[in-house]
Every structure is written in C-alpha cells, then in structure tokens.
C-alpha cells in the first residue's frame, strides 16, 4: 500500500454513517444521512476512506463494505482533485478488493474500476488495464469472467479512451486479437464478452479492429449458430453496428447475413430477436442501402409484421383489460417532462433548451440528437406509443422499422403486405387484429398515397373497432386513427366530412371518456392530433367537444390530466377566435380555474396547466378579461419568486438548483395574456411590485437559454400588443437584446437568439419612421444582424428572423441602413424567398424596397438583382402596398436603362422572365 493512512476518528464517523444508512424505514434519519454524506465529499480524502472500508476492513459485514464501494463509485469524480497519495491509495485498494473472497465485494470493486478507469483514463492507469487483460488468462474461470465483465463495460462506456497510445504502444493492438481468440472460449460467458467488446470498437472506426476486420467478420459467422442466446445476441448487435458504419464489408455476404438476420428476428429468445430486428431498422434508415434492401422486402416485411404481436410478457405487464379509470396513478407512472420556452418568428431548427435530453420517437426508440423534431417536449399523438410496453422491445422495434420501410419504399411495401395485413385485420384472434392495426398506423406516413384508395373502407373499420371489448385494441386504434387524422380532416366535400371526419371526431371523443386509462390516454392524444389537423374546421362542433373534454377533468387521474391540458391547449390553438363565444367560455373556464385554484405555486402540475392557459388566453382574447386579474398576479408572483430562488442559488451553489420550468411557463402565460388582452392589461402591469418590466429585464440576463427565450417572446408580444407600457423600458431591454444576437450560437441558444432577432423587428416597427430615440440602436443592431445573415453556419431559422428584422429596421430608418445594402441584398433575398406569405414577410419586403428606393445601386449587382426578382415573383399575394412598391421599382429599373435591363433579364431563368412580364409588364 502507499503512504496514505486513515485517521481513526474520521474513519469511525464515516463507518457509523454507513451503518445508520441501512435503516431505511425512517425518512428523517435518511435525510440527515444524505446531508452528512454530502458534507463528507468536501474532505479531500473521502474517497480514500471509502476505498479503505471496501478493501481493508474484512471484520465489517460485506453489506457495509459494499455500500462503501457503491458510494465510492458515485463519488468517483472526486479523485480528480485528490492528492497523489490519495489517488494511488484508491487505485491500489480497488484492485485489491477486486480479488476479495466475497462476490459482493468483487462486484462493488468491479463497478469502481469501471468508473475510475473512465475518469482517470487508461493512459493514466495503465497497470489496471494490464492487470485486467492479464486476468483473462487466469487459471480460475470466475476471475477470467470478472475481468472480462469489467473490460466489456469499459469498452461499452468509453471505447475511444481505450483506443490510445500508452508508453509507446497501443494496447488495443494486443487486446483485439486476444478478444478474437477468446470468442472461441469454452465458456459461453467469455464468448459473449469477447464478441461484445469487439463490437463496441466498430462505431468509433478503431484502426486496431479494422486491421483484423475480415477475421472479425469470420468470427461473427462462426459464432452465429452458438447455442448460447447471449452470444447470438452480441453477434446480431455486432452486425448491426457494422451495417451502420462499414456496410461495404457486409455487402458481399449480404445474402447470408440477411438470411441469418431474418432467422434471428424469429428467435424464441426476445433479446436475440430484438437485436436482429434492429438490423432492419438500421438498414432501412440508410438511404444509400435502399437498393440492397429493396430485393429483400418481400421476405423482411412479413417477418416484421409477425413481430408486432404482443408477447405473453407484454400482456402480463400491461394488465390491459381493467376498467381502471377510478384507480389513482402511482407517481412512478408519470414521466418527467421538459419544457423549452415559447418560440416566435420563424422557428425551424431550434431545439429548445433541452437538446441534451434523450429524444424519443413514435415507438419509444431513442432518436439521434440531430433528428429534426420541433417541440419534442409536448406530448403528441406518438408519445403514447412510447408507453405500449415497459421499454424498447421487439414489437416497438418492428413497428419503427416498418415505419421507416414505408417512408423508403411506399407502395412497394404495401403491395408486399396487403394480403397478410388483410388476414390480420379480419382475424378472429384479437392479438392478430391489434398487431395489424399497429402496422397500419406505422405505415401511415410513408404509404399514405398507396393506402389512400383503401381508406374509405379502412377508416369505418377503425371507427367500428373503437367498440372492441379489448382495451388494448381500442387504444391502438386511437393511435392509428390519429396517424390518418390529416386524411379524415381534409375539407374535400360535405359527404367526406359526414362519412369520415364527424364519425372519427365522435369516436375519439368517446375514447377520451373510456373507462380504461390507457384508452383515455390514446384517445386524448389522438384527439389532439385531430385538432391540429382540423384547425378551424372544428369550430361548428366546439360545444360537444368542450363538454366532453370538461367532463374528462372530473374523470381523469393524474397522468392523463397532463395530456388533457395539452388537448385543451391544442384545441384553443386550432380554433382560435371561435372560442370567444360566451357559451364556450362559460363551459371551459370554470373547470380550468377549479384546477388552477387547487394547485400550489410549486406543484409540477401547474406547469402544463399554465401552458394550456397560455393558448386559451390568446384564443379567448378580450373575453378572458374577467379572469385575468388573479392569473396575471400569480404569474408575476411565480416570476418574482423564481428569480429570487435563482439568485439565492447563485450565491450558494451548495443548494439544489431551482426548477426553471415554472419561470418559463409563467413568462409564456404572460405572453398569452399580452396577446389576448393587449392594453387592457395596463392596470395590472402598472401596479406590479416589483415592476414586471424590471423582472423581465432580469430574465433576459438569465443563464438558462429557455428563460431568455421566453423573455424575448414576451418582449416582442408586448411590443406588438401594448407598446406604450414597454417603451420606457426599451433602453434596458435593448442592451441585453443586442448582446443576445450571435451569428453562431450554441445549439441550445438558437431559440433564444431567434426570439431576440424577431423581437428587434417588432420594437423597430412600433417606434415609427426615423424615430430619434431608436436611431441610437440602428447601427449596433445592423452590425449584429448582418453577420448572422451572412454566416454560412447560422441556422436557417436565424437567417430568416435576422432578414425580417433588417427589413423592418430598414423600413423605419432607410437612410442609416441603405448604404449597407450591397453587403446583404443577395443573402437577404435568399433567406426569405421561400417562406410563406404573411404580415412579417410583407413588412420586411416593404423595408427592402424602401432601401432599394433609397440606394438603387445597392441591388444592381447581377446576382443580387436576379435573387431580388426571384424573391418578388415567389410571392403569391403581396399586399396592395407592397405590390405597388414592386411595380414602381421594376418599372423604374426598366425606364432608367431599357437596353441594360433587357440584357439582364435575358439571363434570368425562363420562369422568372415569364412572371415578371405577366405580373409587372417588365
């Protein structure tokens, strides 16, 4: 051992606390212990004491030593600030404990080694790696397996840290061939570890592995028929990883690989089948591999369809037949939800503030961070599918694979599956029917054109299936109807509406009030999707819809209540001002206010209710005024309290960081009140203490992007709806706003930056033409906005918002902005020519035209003029004022130099020439 030794008093105190921690019945004792353990972490040698108890105190019970081992793992990062003596002691001690006679101690030490090897990195603890590899040849099989178990976890958790040069050699150059040899070990556990370890080096492009790639693939084929399912599972996993990163290595053998994977997808061991099924999901997701997958479609698709039937394990876990509407939810049933802030302007690529959270797709699969999917925070129709079973499983994987195959191959997939699908949908066995309905929903996005001719038969079938006695059949039918909602809601004809839209609406509303909680959840989620797709078409049915949703407020348990809030908010967004009818207000507001009054300011359920109310206030507008007072006061109070809590946390980082979600949604609801009520809020805003506008300015400095994002949304909404109240505070706001504009923001800052860029334009418009106060900010703003517009890596949404604000500032202050026109004219037109016509775009283009009138030479570069004319002809319906500006400018160009103009236009694409001639006679 090294020179560190424990102090007896400190050792006894830590030991005593660990002993006390075993009394789990007393919550107060547990809180005290947690506090004491947290305090211990301040001691520079705390980890050494834990390592000492684990490795050097055989007189203690194994259970006590094991707890020390787990505490050591949980505090492993403390080793980075430990002295060399402490670090050396801990490293030696865990290796000693790894050879302890007790299996409990060895297991705890194994977890410690994985943690420390990752934190310190193998290059700084080579003797540990050496010892583990050496133990693979130990005479004792238990020791071999224990060492390999640690190595497997290390290879899985941090393969790149192992793929390094240490003291002039690359350990993997020895380890990889060693693992390949061990893939033929007599022990199945050793074989499984070997294949697993090798596979984890595939995705990182490890050279030591790729030097032996052909031997590795041969070893996979050799192990493909291993009698042990754990080995076969790792073989399948390795083939999936190879397909994802080195598909060219598998293509020569694809016939054999495909046959093996099809066979394995039907393996009676679900773990093997699931890994094999992942192969088809990975295959389908890579567009470059489509030509290789297409010929296999007829074999693969029916196998995937069969994998979508609930297994016996699923059914045991789901207990799906209960009428359980009156049974309260367990807290563990309710997943945490993340709240990003409110988005304004053009919001395409922003990921809110929670880009680091795991993203979940329609079937519960984890998505890569790069997947475009705005507002994944919200519970949408697909989220319920994440709950179809305990976890990612064969059924969900097969459904996800079928979904991707449908997008990739469309009608070709339907042709393969038409007959087997019919058999399942009309089967006597409810499990077969249920899986067919799931498949139909999974294929909705990709096969819609091919399925459309069948929908007049299928939609009534699905509506009828909502009467099925089995709750699991009713719930999946809701999901599938949600997937076809856009077809049902198309305003094709009165007949289409009566035959498909109204029955779907009625059927899903019935499911919203089902007596089974799973069906309620599916019905409510699918209904929210129908609301989004139907939009204003829902207006004639608002009374029955509202009465059903309001009835659900009394019927729902905790978890489904959160989805119900979402459905009410989505309804308000969909029908807008139609909700202002006093009858509807009187149906909807009392139950919302009843919920509101029951919840405390720190109740997590307040968050989705605030979100819901934000949508409702915007839709109900002036009719919301009688309810506004207490809601406004509470939002102000939440903002004030949240900022005080955050200030206290900043002064004392030992505290738990306060939840920012309350602050974000309170700001969003204030935005909703501002949009709905405008200047009618004046008495509420002017009497706030401290002033709401002062608090808002503090929010704009908040370290969390989601808070700033919602703060800038509120600034812009106040500029639009109650500018006189904002105006005295604009100098303080502008200081923060200018600083927020960044050409290359971090991913998590994009939305805040977008909202800031949008708010600038709204403020500029409200100050008016050539306002002397606003002039002081024109140059600093343009100096920030133009680089954003010209930056090749800035997100597209940010390009668009920056362009709109440059246009609006130009509209109000042309003399200051026009000299810069040659710098940005082309990029400006490129940013905005594709976006849909709306008032924001109209005011921005009026600004650009004003800049061109002020500085005509600024647009006369050939490429700038081409993009300007392209942007003009892309408009469908410019306002009369804007259309007149286009006409004047184009006619002016032609009159100024008819020959030069004709020569320029002759170089334009024919479609632009034709539209310029037809619309503007130039």
């Amino acid at each position: 051992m090294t020179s560190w030794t424990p102090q007896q008093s400190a050792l006894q105190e830590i030991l005593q606390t660990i002993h006390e921690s075993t009394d789990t019945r007393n919550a107060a004792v547990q809180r005290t212990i947690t506090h004491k353990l947290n305090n211990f972490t301040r001691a520079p040698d705390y980890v050494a004491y834990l390592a000492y108890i684990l490795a050097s105190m055989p007189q203690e019970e194994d259970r006590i030593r094991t707890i020390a081992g787990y505490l050591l793992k949980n505090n492993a990062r403390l080793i980075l600030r430990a002295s060399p003596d402490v670090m050396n002691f801990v490293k030696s001690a865990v290796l000693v404990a790894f050879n302890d006679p007790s299996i409990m101690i060895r297991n705890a030490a194994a977890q410690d080694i994985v943690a420390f090897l990752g934190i310190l990195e193998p290059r700084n603890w080579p003797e540990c790696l050496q010892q583990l590899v050496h133990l693979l040849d130990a005479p004792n099989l238990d020791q071999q397996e224990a060492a390999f178990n640690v190595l497997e976890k290390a290879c899985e958790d941090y393969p790149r840290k192992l793929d390094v040069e240490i003291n002039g050699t690359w350990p993997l150059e020895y380890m990889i061939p060693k693992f390949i040899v061990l893939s033929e070990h007599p022990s199945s556990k050793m074989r499984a570890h070997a294949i697993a370890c090798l596979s984890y080096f595939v995705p990182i492009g490890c050279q030591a592995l790729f030097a032996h790639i052909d031997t590795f693939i041969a070893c996979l084929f050799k192990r493909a028929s291993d009698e042990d399912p754990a080995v076969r599972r790792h073989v399948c996993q390795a083939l999936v990883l190879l397909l994802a990163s080195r598909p060219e290595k598998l293509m020569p053998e694809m016939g054999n690989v495909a046959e093996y994977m099809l066979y394995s997808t039907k393996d009676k061991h679900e773990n093997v089948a699931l890994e094999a099924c992942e192969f088809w999901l990975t295959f389908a997701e890579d567009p470059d591999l489509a030509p290789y997958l297409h010929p296999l479609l007829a074999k693969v698709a029916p196998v995937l369809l069969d994998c979508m039937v609930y297994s016996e394990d699923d059914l045991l876990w789901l207990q799906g037949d209960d009428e359980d509407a009156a049974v309260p939810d367990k807290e563990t049933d309710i997943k945490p939800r993340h709240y990003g802030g409110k988005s304004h302007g053009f919001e395409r690529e922003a990921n809110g503030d929670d880009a680091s959270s795991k993203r979940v797709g329609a079937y519960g699969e984890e998505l890569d961070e790069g997947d475009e999917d705005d507002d994944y925070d919200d519970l949408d129709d697909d989220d319920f599918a994440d709950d179809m079973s305990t976890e990612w499983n064969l059924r969900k994987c097969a459904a996800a694979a079928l979904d991707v195959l449908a997008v990739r191959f469309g009608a070709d997939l339907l042709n393969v599956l038409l007959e087997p699908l019919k058999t399942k949908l009309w089967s006597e066995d409810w499990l077969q029917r249920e899986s067919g309905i799931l498949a139909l929903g999974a294929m909705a996005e990709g096969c819609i054109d091919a399925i459309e001719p069948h929908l007049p038969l299928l939609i009534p079938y699905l509506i009828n299936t909502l009467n099925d006695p089995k709750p699991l059949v009713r719930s999946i039918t809701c999901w599938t109807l949600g997937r076809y909602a856009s077809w049902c809601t198309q305003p094709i004809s009165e007949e289409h509406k009566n035959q498909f839209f109204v029955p779907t609406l009625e059927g899903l509303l019935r499911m919203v009030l089902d007596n089974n909680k799973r069906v309620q959840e599916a019905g409510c989620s699918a209904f929210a999707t129908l609301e989004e797709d139907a939009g204003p078409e829902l207006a004639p049915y608002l009374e029955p819809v509202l009465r059903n949703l309001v009835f659900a407020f009394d019927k729902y348990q905790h978890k489904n209540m959160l989805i119900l809030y979402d459905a009410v908010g989505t309804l308000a967004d969909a029908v807008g001002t139609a909700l202002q009818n006093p009858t509807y207000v009187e149906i909807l507001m009392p139950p919302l206010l009843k919920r509101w009054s029951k919840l405390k300011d720190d109740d997590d359920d307040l968050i989705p209710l605030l979100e819901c109310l934000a949508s409702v206030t915007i839709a109900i507008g002036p009719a919301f005024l009688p309810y506004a007072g207490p809601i406004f006061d509470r939002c102000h109070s939440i903002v004030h309290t949240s900022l005080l809590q955050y200030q206290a946390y900043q002064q004392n980082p030992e505290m738990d960081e306060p939840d920012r979600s309350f602050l974000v949604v309170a700001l969003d609801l204030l935005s909703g009140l501002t949009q709905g009520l405008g200047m009618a809020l004046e008495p509420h805003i002017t009497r706030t203490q401290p002033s709401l506008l002062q608090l808002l300015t503090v929010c704009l400095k908040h370290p969390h992007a989601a808070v700033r994002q919602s703060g800038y949304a509120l600034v812009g909404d106040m500029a639009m709806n109650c500018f006189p109240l904002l105006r005295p505070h604009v100098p303080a706001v502008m200081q923060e706003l200018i600083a927020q504009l960044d050409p290359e923001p971090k991913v998590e800052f994009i939305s805040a930056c977008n909202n800031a860029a949008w708010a600038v334009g709204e403020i500029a418009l409200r100050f008016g033409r050539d306002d002397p106060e606003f002039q002081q900010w024109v140059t600093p703003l343009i100096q920030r906005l133009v680089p954003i517009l010209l930056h090749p890596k800035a997100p597209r949404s940010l390009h668009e918002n920056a362009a709109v604000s440059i246009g609006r500032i130009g509209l109000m202050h042309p003399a200051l902005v026009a000299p810069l026109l040659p710098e940005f004219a082309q990029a400006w037109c490129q940013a905005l020519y594709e976006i849909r016509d709306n008032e924001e775009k109209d005011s921005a283009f009026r600004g650009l035209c004003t800049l061109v009138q002020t500085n005509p030479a600024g647009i006369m570069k050939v490429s700038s003029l081409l993009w300007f004319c392209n942007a003009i002809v892309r408009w469908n319906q410019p306002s009369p004022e804007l259309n007149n500006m286009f006409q004047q400018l184009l006619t002016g160009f032609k009159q100024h130099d008819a020959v030069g103009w004709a020569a320029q236009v002759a170089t334009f694409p024919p479609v632009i020439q034709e539209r310029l001639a037809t619309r503007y006679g130039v």
Side-chain angles (χ1 to χ4, degrees), residues 11 85 101 122 184 231 333 402 449 475 522 546 560 648 753 872:
L11 180 63
D85 278 358
E184 300 196 33
V231 177
D333 294 339
L402 201 64
D449 293 340
S475 64
L546 284 168
N560 288 349
C753 202
I872 289 174

Side-chain angles (χ1 to χ4, degrees), residues 375-539:
D375 283 344
Y376 65 94
D377 316 334
D378 297 337
L379 281 170
D380 65 8
D381 63 319
D382 292 343
D383 261 12
F384 120 78
D386 176 32
D387 247 348
M388 289 192 291
S389 163
T390 40
E391 54 192 14
W392 185 234
N393 60 14
L394 180 61
R395 165 187 164 85
K396 289 194 213 174
C397 185
L402 201 64
D403 188 342
V404 184
L405 285 174
V407 172
R408 192 73 65 229
F409 299 114
D412 289 352
L413 177 68
L414 186 66
N415 291 339
V416 167
L417 286 184
L418 201 54
E419 289 311 312
L421 253 182
K422 280 182 187 168
T423 307
K424 283 189 183 286
L425 291 173
W426 275 271
S427 165
E428 292 292 307
D429 179 351
W430 75 269
L431 286 168
Q432 295 296 323
R433 282 200 311 280
E434 194 277 345
S435 68
I437 295 166
L438 168 61
L440 196 60
M443 293 161 67
E445 185 188 348
C447 291
I448 187 66
D449 293 340
I451 289 177
E452 196 164 343
H454 303 277
L455 287 179
L457 180 68
L458 286 170
I459 297 298
Y461 164 86
L462 290 169
I463 292 165
N464 187 47
T465 307
L466 293 173
N467 300 314
D468 194 285
K470 290 285 181 187
L472 288 172
V473 175
R474 299 199 298 278
S475 64
I476 201 63
T477 305
C478 291
W479 181 72
T480 295
L481 275 170
R483 300 274 285 178
Y484 290 99
S486 56
W487 183 83
C488 298
T489 56
Q490 283 174 356
I492 297 170
S493 65
E494 204 58 31
E495 188 190 4
H496 181 91
K497 187 192 289 185
N498 293 330
Q499 213 177 339
F500 305 113
F501 173 53
V502 176
T504 302
L505 177 79
E506 289 171 344
L508 288 176
L509 274 178
R510 230 177 41 250
M511 296 303 99
V512 166
L513 298 178
D514 197 89
N515 285 328
N516 177 275
K517 289 193 287 192
R518 179 175 296 278
V519 179
Q520 291 172 1
E521 182 182 356
C524 206
S525 296
F527 191 74
T529 306
L530 186 82
E531 292 171 338
E532 280 180 347
D533 288 325
E537 298 286 318
L538 269 177

Side-chain angles (χ1 to χ4, degrees), residues 639-640 642-647 650 663 667 690-704 707-709 711-712 715 729 732-733 736 740:
V639 171
H640 187 208
S642 298
L643 290 173
L644 288 174
Q645 285 171 346
Y646 205 83
Q647 187 181 11
Q650 284 178 311
L663 177 53
L667 289 168
S691 149
L692 174 66
L693 275 302
Q694 284 174 318
L695 295 178
L696 178 54
T697 311
V698 177
C699 291
L700 303 183
K701 300 176 165 67
H702 201 282
H704 280 296
V707 177
R708 298 199 302 279
Q709 178 184 336
Y712 287 116
V715 167
H729 301 269
V733 166
E736 300 307 323
Q740 183 68 59

